[in-house]
Amino acid sequence: MTDDLSLPDGYAEWLGDLKERIRSARQRAALAVNTELLRLYWQIGREIADRQEAQGWGAKVIARISQDLRLAFPDMTGLSKRNLAYMRAFALAWPDPEFVQQPAAQIPWTHHQMLLDKFDEAQPRLAYAAAAVEHGWSRNVMSIHIEARTLERSGRGITNFERTLPPETSDLAREIVKDPYNFEFLGVGGEAMEREIEKALVDHVTEFLVELGVGFAYVGRQVLLEVGGEDFFIDLLFYHLRLRCYVVIELKAGKFRPEHLGQLNFYLAAVDGEMAHPDDAPTIGILLCQSRNQVVAEYSLRGSTQPLGVAEYQLRASLPSVERLQQELSGPE
């Protein structure tokens, strides 16, 4: 049945605001429940660890604790012997009870279990916990980033951003340049030509965007730039949503050479002049090569006034040819 009741002025705006407040309240409630659960698990784990040290509790006592707790709380999950062991490890991993003030307290327990399994040190655990909170990573997505060593590679490219970008954006810009980039998902070997790699990256653009990181939006491959009546083509063009700027990526199939930056400098100036909106930040250029000399790359960037970065990329190892395999199997004549 259709409701013909006319709505009062401002109803739609009020309803939208009410919905947002309900969503926020539910999110805060879920976060509070998660924080309380983690605090409880930390306390249980801390007391188990203390009593083990003071009284020599062994595995049999832990198993009995699990049995007794599950009898007392039959509807409560997470009281298995295995989970109690995780609680102990959790308390030892975060010895300061004020960890609840850190990003670690904002991720679910299953995330913590994975972090405990993957890392022995606090720094990477905290870094991936913070990234999971910032980007809303699920447990599976966080696992993918841990296996890919995403955070360990972020910000390791050679750049001149500190000198060529405003202080408020240079740090974030540095973080978007990994080194090395892992393109093994392309399924092409190290002997592949530049155009072959470009095409493979576009064919696997979803995986490519995951490897680039959060914030990249794909614009196109071999993007046409008309400058002074001449046509030029950008290898790969992206737009970064947080930096609010275009990002030009140039691929080189071999070793980095200083002259590679000349072409990239031209592309950045052309994109700023022909494509970018007046409100966009300066276009950033990233040159990806299969190998580079660090000192040569650093000197090459010193003279540039455009924001540029240089990083390596990795392809899968090339398989030996049939002829080579036959030679190796037959041995010396």
Side-chain angles (χ1 to χ4, degrees):
M1 184 176 68
T2 303
D3 187 357
D4 294 326
L5 177 66
S6 59
L7 298 175
D9 292 342
Y11 177 82
E13 292 79 4
W14 172 82
L15 181 62
D17 177 66
L18 179 60
K19 289 178 179 178
E20 184 58 36
R21 279 185 281 151
I22 292 174
R23 291 191 191 100
S24 297
R26 292 179 65 183
Q27 185 177 29
R28 289 195 302 271
L31 180 59
V33 169
N34 184 68
T35 301
E36 286 304 313
L37 180 65
L38 293 180
R39 182 180 284 111
L40 173 63
Y41 282 0
W42 186 92
Q43 292 170 347
I44 294 173
R46 182 72 264 171
E47 292 184 18
I48 290 175
D50 289 344
R51 291 176 181 271
Q52 280 184 323
E53 182 177 356
Q55 302 177 23
W57 282 9
K60 290 184 178 179
V61 179
I62 305 302
R64 179 58 186 266
I65 296 171
S66 172
Q67 178 183 336
D68 289 341
L69 288 177
R70 285 195 285 187
L71 284 173
F73 305 99
D75 297 330
M76 183 176 176
T77 60
L79 297 175
S80 67
K81 177 183 174 183
R82 181 173 180 270
N83 209 43
L84 290 174
Y86 270 116
M87 294 179 202
R88 177 185 180 277
F90 181 57
L92 295 176
W94 304 101
D96 185 352
E98 294 305 314
F99 81 94
V100 293
Q101 305 299 326
Q102 302 180 26
Q106 300 180 42
I107 58 175
W109 176 240
T110 54
H111 285 57
H112 282 288
Q113 291 174 311
M114 175 175 291
L115 292 173
L116 291 169
D117 288 337
K118 297 293 186 180
F119 301 110
D120 294 327
E121 298 178 353
Q123 193 280 328
R125 285 197 302 266
L126 185 57
Y128 277 97
V133 172
E134 180 181 0
H135 305 303
W137 288 346
S138 68
R139 184 179 186 276
N140 289 337
V141 170
M142 188 176 75
S143 176
I144 292 171
H145 285 288
I146 290 174
E147 293 299 324
R149 298 177 62 250
T150 297
L151 300 186
E152 289 85 344
R153 294 183 290 122
S154 296
R156 295 189 60 183
I158 302 172
T159 73
N160 63 2
F161 296 159
E162 185 174 359
R163 180 171 53 81
T164 57
L165 290 174
E168 61 270 18
T169 60
S170 61
D171 287 346
L172 175 58
R174 280 199 303 273
E175 286 302 309
I176 74 169
V177 184
K178 297 178 182 176
D179 189 55
Y181 287 83
N182 185 352
F183 293 161
E184 292 183 6
F185 60 84
L186 299 180
V188 298
E191 75 287 350
M193 302 298 290
E194 291 166 12
R195 290 294 180 266
E196 182 183 356
I197 299 171
E198 286 176 24
K199 182 179 183 304
L201 286 172
V202 174
D203 290 343
H204 297 79
V205 69
T206 300
E207 293 92 336
F208 186 24
L209 286 169
V210 170
E211 176 61 15
L212 288 177
V214 176
F216 280 88
Y218 175 64
V219 177
R221 171 192 174 222
Q222 291 298 305
V223 176
L224 172 64
L225 271 176
E226 185 176 343
V227 180
E230 297 186 40
D231 292 342
F232 300 90
F233 296 89
I234 296 173
D235 285 354
L236 294 160
L237 184 63
F238 295 83
Y239 191 86
H240 198 276
L241 301 177
R242 293 182 63 188
L243 289 169
R244 300 292 180 184
C245 70
Y246 283 102
V247 179
V248 176
I249 295 181
E250 282 290 299
L251 280 166
K252 297 300 176 184
K255 185 177 180 180
F256 169 76
R257 307 297 303 175
E259 54 266 28
H260 293 158
L261 294 181
Q263 182 183 42
L264 188 52
N265 265 301
F266 168 75
Y267 286 154
L268 299 192
V271 170
D272 282 337
E274 303 293 329
M275 296 180 64
H277 187 274
D279 293 335
D280 285 338
T283 302
I284 289 172
I286 304 175
L287 191 137
L288 301 182
C289 51
Q290 286 181 299
S291 65
R292 66 154 201 281
N293 181 298
Q294 175 126 352
V295 177
V296 172
E298 288 175 352
Y299 275 115
S300 300
L301 290 173
R302 283 188 184 181
S304 177
T305 58
Q306 303 269 33
L308 296 168
V310 178
E312 294 180 339
Y313 62 88
Q314 296 176 340
L315 300 171
R316 68 170 174 80
S318 300
L319 296 174
S321 65
V322 174
E323 294 80 5
R324 179 180 166 189
L325 284 173
Q326 288 175 341
Q327 290 175 358
E328 292 178 352
L329 290 172
S330 62
E333 296 181 359

